[in-house]
Amino acid sequence: MNYTSYIPPLCNPTRVAIVGAGKVGSTLAQRIAERNIADVVLLDVVEGMPQAIALDLTQARGLEHHDCQIIGTNDYADTANSDIVVISAGKPRQPGMSRDELMKTNAKIVLEATKQAIAYSPDAIFIVITNPLDVMTYLTWQASGLPPHRVMGMAGILDSARFQTFIAMELGVSIVDVKGMVLGSHGELMVPLPRYSTVSGIPITELLDAATIDRLIERTRNGGGEIVELMRTGGAYFAPASSTCEMVESILFNQSRLVPAAAYLQGEYGLKDVFIGVPCRLGCRGIESILELNLTDSETTALHISAESVRHNIEFANQLLAATSHKC
Ligand code: TXD
């Protein structure tokens, strides 16, 4: 039997590069492929590991019924012409390691990853996952030289999903009807907004008393920490991968989903020159627009405190990098 080709082969399939093939990166690769969204290039410094994960995922292709190509590599050249670059490379905090040391280590990794990836995919949109999230997103933007709408951080969508989960569990309602809204930085200073978190359009402030809402907010703030404590080695990865996949899907399919993401602010919410979680409309050009919600004075104050801490950490990271002549 012989096929004769009568049209040129289809070129440039949609491609997502994931730098850092650890727990989050590899689970994200699985989500993207199994939802049939795009081809995936998984890159890591560890030799053999991304290749092994890619082969394993590829062997499941006939069972999961998708047509996505999954490549594992240690070479940035293989990531060329990606539409989206996801940065999930980093080190977790080791016993005895300070937060400063972690910041320095991950800042170097993220800067290197950005410079290498952008060289091969100059038209890509960057989504950053590595912690400390808002700071790493800022450094990625600086190092890439990209316009701000093409760089964003994944955290708000995850924090909102966690809030949503705890609300649904508390009220005994289907998760499908619950929406959570969490702004601010990723960490203890995140800003959950009960007034904008709803069950079938009803704000939760109408359905739950203040003490219960405070308890759910506290659990949301500690959503990642609770998992780290239980797991002991490593942190959450299923929900982070799902959250990132939603962002990838909204961009590649130009869905205009409105989700909280770490975005560069230029006066919105009274804040400038900082990346922080705000509601963003995500489409094929990246962050298509930022929605400015009407916030109460205390909500605005909480957002500004959150932004101040990110700004402080950006300065600190840049000082650490300057000391090792790694500043971008
Ligand atoms: O909401 C969020 N943004 C987050 C953030 C939710 C979950 C995880 N979050 C952070 O993502 C976490 O604190 C880490 O900073 C990253 C990745 O988390 P993951 O759980 O996937 O960490 P792993 O399993 O340790 O994987 C990190 C991988 C690992 O395979 C390393 O070999 C690789 O990163 N790594 C590198 N890859 C490429 N290039 C370089 N330089 C490099 N250095 C390490």
Side-chain angles (χ1 to χ4, degrees), residues 18-26 43-46 49 76 87-93 102 105-106 108-110 112-113 128-133 136 153-156 158-159 162 186 234-237 239-241 243-244:
I18 302 173
V19 182
K23 290 273 184 53
V24 177
S26 58
L43 182 142
D44 204 282
V45 276
V46 178
M49 183 266 265
Y76 278 89
I87 299 192
S88 51
K91 292 257 186 297
R93 196 147 69 139
L102 179 73
T105 304
N106 281 353
K108 280 187 193 168
I109 290 173
V110 164
E112 188 61 24
V128 182
I129 302 183
T130 307
N131 274 328
L133 188 272
M136 294 304 139
M154 185 290 293
L158 171 64
D159 295 329
R162 285 174 171 157
H186 185 50
Y237 55 97
S243 304
T244 314

Side-chain angles (χ1 to χ4, degrees), residues 45-203:
V45 276
V46 178
E47 281 180 25
M49 183 266 265
Q51 291 86 345
I53 292 170
L55 182 59
D56 194 7
L57 286 170
T58 302
Q59 288 170 357
R61 206 152 69 152
L63 306 165
E64 295 296 336
H65 304 272
H66 68 81
D67 302 305
C68 300
Q69 201 190 357
I70 306 156
I71 296 167
T73 186
N74 309 109
D75 183 351
Y76 278 89
D78 293 325
T79 67
N81 301 320
S82 294
D83 301 277
I84 295 183
V85 173
V86 176
I87 299 192
S88 51
K91 292 257 186 297
R93 196 147 69 139
Q94 308 291 335
M97 191 186 205
S98 70
R99 275 183 192 281
D100 302 356
E101 283 173 281
L102 179 73
M103 171 99 79
K104 195 158 131 188
T105 304
N106 281 353
K108 280 187 193 168
I109 290 173
V110 164
L111 285 182
E112 188 61 24
T114 303
K115 285 176 185 168
Q116 295 256 30
I118 190 92
Y120 289 99
S121 301
D123 299 324
I125 289 167
F126 278 65
I127 303 177
V128 182
I129 302 183
T130 307
N131 274 328
L133 188 272
D134 308 85
V135 181
M136 294 304 139
T137 311
Y138 191 97
L139 297 181
T140 298
W141 169 65
Q142 273 187 319
S144 67
L146 286 173
H149 66 274
R150 278 175 48 201
V151 181
M152 67 196 80
M154 185 290 293
I157 185 169
L158 171 64
D159 295 329
S160 300
R162 285 174 171 157
F163 195 27
Q164 182 182 348
T165 302
F166 299 139
I167 293 166
M169 283 160 64
E170 184 69 30
L171 287 168
V173 296
S174 165
I175 190 82
V176 173
D177 294 328
V178 183
K179 295 286 171 215
M181 180 59 80
V182 180
L183 306 187
S185 59
H186 185 50
E188 280 160 22
L189 294 176
M190 70 177 70
V191 185
L193 296 177
R195 291 189 312 123
Y196 288 115
S197 299
T198 60
V199 180
S200 287
I202 306 158

Side-chain angles (χ1 to χ4, degrees), residues 176-324:
V176 173
D177 294 328
V178 183
K179 295 286 171 215
M181 180 59 80
V182 180
L183 306 187
S185 59
H186 185 50
E188 280 160 22
L189 294 176
M190 70 177 70
V191 185
L193 296 177
R195 291 189 312 123
Y196 288 115
S197 299
T198 60
V199 180
S200 287
I202 306 158
I204 60 163
T205 45
E206 304 276 318
L207 302 168
L208 294 164
D209 60 48
T212 306
I213 292 175
D214 284 348
R215 178 164 50 77
L216 302 184
I217 286 179
E218 217 28 58
R219 193 163 182 201
T220 303
R221 278 193 214 289
N222 193 36
E226 192 177 341
I227 291 172
V228 170
E229 259 173 54
L230 289 166
M231 193 95 80
R232 288 166 193 228
T233 52
Y237 55 97
F238 289 121
S242 298
S243 304
T244 314
C245 193
E246 296 274 302
M247 294 171 75
V248 166
E249 205 169 6
S250 187
I251 293 166
L252 292 181
F253 298 153
N254 198 23
Q255 288 172 335
S256 287
R257 295 276 313 272
L258 182 68
V259 295
Y264 185 72
L265 298 190
Q266 303 173 80
E268 299 88 347
Y269 293 95
L271 294 165
K272 269 188 182 159
D273 193 33
V274 70
F275 271 84
I276 199 152
V278 288
C280 298
R281 209 163 51 84
L282 301 185
C284 60
R285 289 171 300 182
I287 297 179
E288 304 275 346
S289 55
I290 291 173
L291 177 70
E292 269 193 86
L293 296 168
N294 287 322
L295 298 184
T296 62
D297 288 348
S298 67
E299 288 163 349
T300 302
T301 305
L303 190 63
H304 282 227
I305 290 172
S306 190
E308 209 37 60
S309 125
V310 174
R311 206 186 308 264
H312 172 81
N313 283 329
I314 290 168
E315 276 167 27
F316 183 58
N318 269 325
Q319 278 167 17
L320 291 173
L321 293 169
T324 49

